Amino acid sequence: MAGITARLNPSGVIRARMLSNHIRTQERAVVPQPQDQVILPDAGYDGLAKVVVKAIPNNWGEIIWDGAVMTVK
């Protein structure tokens, strides 16, 4: 049997246990985009081990985020 079992204890803490040592993870690298991105593992992988968000390209200009509005100069 493969996968993970998880239980929520009375104090609200999730306790998880791996059922197999054969979980396949993948590393991904992404470049920032103007829209939201959902990063998922490719088919054949069970999860992501690491996601690297690349630096904003120099030709994007200065990006300012005030917590609500993003401005590009």
Side-chain angles (χ1 to χ4, degrees):
M1 177 184 270
I4 298 175
T5 60
R7 294 198 173 152
L8 184 64
N9 72 15
S11 63
V13 176
I14 296 175
R15 296 189 97 86
R17 171 171 76 92
M18 292 180 65
L19 299 177
S20 171
N21 295 356
H22 299 92
I23 293 177
R24 293 190 53 196
T25 59
Q26 176 184 32
E27 293 186 5
R28 301 285 303 267
V30 296
V31 175
Q33 299 293 322
Q35 68 280 352
D36 291 348
Q37 298 180 73
V38 177
I39 311 304
L40 299 171
D42 291 332
Y45 290 93
D46 301 307
L48 297 170
K50 177 169 69 172
V51 175
V52 176
V53 178
K54 300 287 191 175
I56 296 171
N58 291 338
N59 62 353
W60 276 29
E62 181 184 1
I63 297 178
I64 301 167
W65 172 252
D66 70 4
V69 176
M70 182 180 293
T71 306
V72 180
K73 292 184 176 186

